[in-house]
Amino acid sequence: MRNLGAMAVFVDDILLSKLWEGASDRLLAAFTDSMDVFREMSAREAKSLGYRLPQGLPTRELVGSGPVVAARLDAMGVTASAAMDFVADMVSYMEASHDSYCGACRGDDDSSGSCTRGYSITTWVSDIEDAAAGTRTLSGAADQLMAQAIEEEHLLLRAVLSVVPEATVRVVLGAAKAWQDFEGTSWAGDRLRLEASQCTPLVVLTEGRSDVAILEPAFALLHPHLTDLVRFMDFGHRPAGGAGPLAATLRTFAAAGIANRVVGLFDNDTAGCDALRALRPDTLPANLRAVRYPDLELARGYPTIGPPTCDAPEGRRERADVNGAACSIELYLGIDVLKGVDGSLPPVQWRSFISGMDRYQGEIMGKTALQQAFQSKLRAASDSPSVMASQDWSGLQAIFTTVLTAFH
């Protein structure tokens, strides 16, 4: 709720609600920033909202045509049928609580129109139609009914617009300090999307199918209590893998306003770093994150094979820090997978030079064999969980920590 002072919702001249608790983001999101206007209140309106100044009080409000506001609410899932069901529920509640709360019957209100006994949704529709036509003001019963819609004014508004669809809708935001405090309706939409994203699974995107084939079952094994909250995207229908397509997918998600929290997980290599540099993760919406696999201690002095030279026609073999240059998913499979029977590590082969990063891209040799060895390790752990104590899962655990803390 955004409480900016004396706020109220009007449909034409019908006062739907005084927003004592402030305007909800769902109500504000029914308007656009272009509907934000300034004007002067009449003395009568200022008095009805509790202002003491007699006239000419400047105010700020959102003004939209009924069809446009209704269409925006429909697109948000606040449909006419859902709104009328909401009003019907309020009518049922008012009838059930009549003996306790009817002001007319208790003597608190002298108007017979304030009695809620037998009040129906049909009567409410007639009250709205008559008030909109100017033939009479809203009955006390209608006022009591609509007063129940605290924090649900967007539903009440949609119901009223189903009765008088061509009306003009105004949300009076208040005066003075409200001009500075109101952030705009687009912020309300952003907050709703962020709130919605927190109730949906975290989606993890990777550079390719081989990453998913490793990460998904490993996550289920290491974090079985979180599998319903974290989803690894199936790349079965994506035409190409790699850092570039992953960055393009994140841009598409950003443009489409995807509500889920999404983590784009790039390889910790030169291509991944270059894609992240071009993507500019700081410009993504709040529900999208772009990260790379974490650095590995193992990779700080890893065996590599350089390009051939006269002195080393088969390539010079040296140790190098390959973090940020050659750490694909295979380097995270565990030392028990990486080490051969002779205790050696499969070297990284330096390949193409990426000018944007001013360094070479490296690739670990024997990827297929490493992936097959990992699947055997995974099956052994699944068949006998006690085996995991003697296995090395530290690399994959580091990746999962990166994913699970991406929004911290």
Side-chain angles (χ1 to χ4, degrees):
M1 305 295 287
R2 296 293 177 269
N3 198 337
L4 305 175
M7 305 177 69
V9 185
F10 291 86
V11 174
D12 281 345
D13 292 328
I14 304 172
L15 174 61
L16 259 63
S17 175
K18 289 186 178 179
L19 303 172
W20 302 113
E21 301 297 325
S24 70
D25 285 334
R26 285 190 177 275
L27 177 62
L28 294 174
F31 298 81
T32 65
D33 287 334
S34 63
M35 299 176 184
D36 190 354
V37 299
F38 293 88
R39 66 177 179 84
E40 289 187 354
M41 277 189 189
S42 67
R44 179 180 178 182
E45 185 180 1
K47 183 178 180 180
S48 71
L49 294 175
Y51 292 111
R52 296 181 179 179
L53 296 179
Q55 62 184 13
L57 180 66
T59 189
R60 186 178 183 179
E61 61 187 20
L62 302 171
V63 182
S65 70
V68 170
V69 172
R72 288 182 61 82
L73 286 168
D74 286 344
M76 293 163 55
V78 187
T79 62
S81 60
M84 292 304 286
D85 287 345
F86 170 73
V87 173
D89 288 342
M90 290 198 298
V91 168
S92 297
Y93 174 78
M94 193 166 67
E95 176 67 18
S97 59
H98 168 271
D99 294 343
S100 300
Y101 297 107
C102 181
C105 293
R106 291 201 321 264
D108 299 336
D109 192 331
D110 295 332
S111 172
S112 60
S114 293
C115 182
T116 59
R117 173 70 73 191
Y119 195 77
S120 67
I121 192 166
T122 302
T123 311
W124 177 78
V125 169
S126 297
D127 274 347
I128 297 297
E129 290 174 337
D130 292 344
T135 56
R136 62 185 177 88
T137 59
L138 282 179
S139 67
D143 283 335
Q144 287 189 52
L145 175 71
M146 295 194 293
Q148 299 177 39
I150 297 174
E151 299 189 14
E152 304 290 349
E153 289 86 2
H154 59 291
L155 282 163
L156 177 60
L157 173 59
R158 185 63 187 90
V160 171
L161 288 176
S162 70
V163 179
V164 284
E166 299 301 322
T168 297
V169 184
R170 293 186 297 118
V171 176
V172 178
L173 297 173
K177 194 171 184 296
W179 299 353
Q180 303 171 9
D181 291 350
F182 184 55
E183 302 163 313
T185 60
S186 57
W187 281 93
D190 290 343
R191 284 189 295 266
L192 284 175
R193 284 185 285 274
L194 183 58
E195 180 182 352
S197 74
Q198 294 169 346
C199 301
T200 55
L202 175 68
V203 175
V204 181
L205 308 180
T206 63
E207 290 193 15
R209 299 182 68 179
S210 60
D211 299 75
V212 176
I214 290 169
L215 293 172
E216 190 169 39
F219 188 80
L221 188 67
L222 298 172
H223 299 275
H225 55 294
L226 298 178
T227 52
D228 62 321
L229 300 177
V230 179
R231 304 286 173 81
F232 292 86
M233 184 172 175
D234 182 1
F235 281 82
H237 301 290
R238 203 174 83 172
L246 174 56
T249 300
L250 286 173
R251 291 191 189 96
T252 300
F253 280 20
I258 296 297
N260 290 71
R261 290 173 302 148
V262 177
V263 175
L265 196 54
F266 290 81
D267 286 359
N268 184 16
D269 59 13
T270 305
C273 292
D274 191 45
L276 279 170
R277 176 189 59 81
L279 180 62
R280 296 176 57 201
D282 58 308
T283 65
L284 293 174
N287 64 310
L288 301 184
R289 292 287 188 273
V291 298
R292 61 180 173 88
Y293 293 153
D295 285 353
L296 288 169
E297 189 62 35
L298 171 70
R300 299 193 188 282
Y302 198 84
T304 67
I305 301 176
T309 65
C310 292
D311 295 334
E314 295 183 359
R316 189 176 299 278
R317 294 175 178 265
E318 294 182 350
R319 289 188 175 270
D321 187 347
V322 298
N323 284 303
C327 289
S328 59
I329 188 67
E330 289 76 20
L331 269 85
Y332 295 82
L333 301 183
I335 196 69
D336 47 354
V337 170
L338 290 169
K339 276 190 175 181
V341 292
D342 61 353
S344 65
L345 296 170
V348 160
Q349 173 76 61
W350 294 118
R351 298 189 181 276
S352 58
F353 184 79
I354 297 180
S355 58
M357 296 300 297
D358 196 29
R359 63 173 179 256
Y360 282 92
Q361 164 80 356
E363 181 177 322
I364 193 169
M365 300 180 70
K367 279 189 173 186
T368 300
L370 291 173
Q371 293 172 11
Q372 291 173 348
F374 174 75
Q375 292 302 324
S376 297
K377 170 181 172 176
L378 185 67
R379 285 193 295 272
S382 300
D383 293 342
S384 179
S386 61
V387 173
M388 294 179 65
S390 61
Q391 296 174 327
D392 178 17
W393 294 90
S394 59
L396 290 172
Q397 282 284 29
I399 291 177
F400 296 143
T401 297
T402 297
V403 170
L404 295 172
T405 60
F407 290 91
H408 289 191

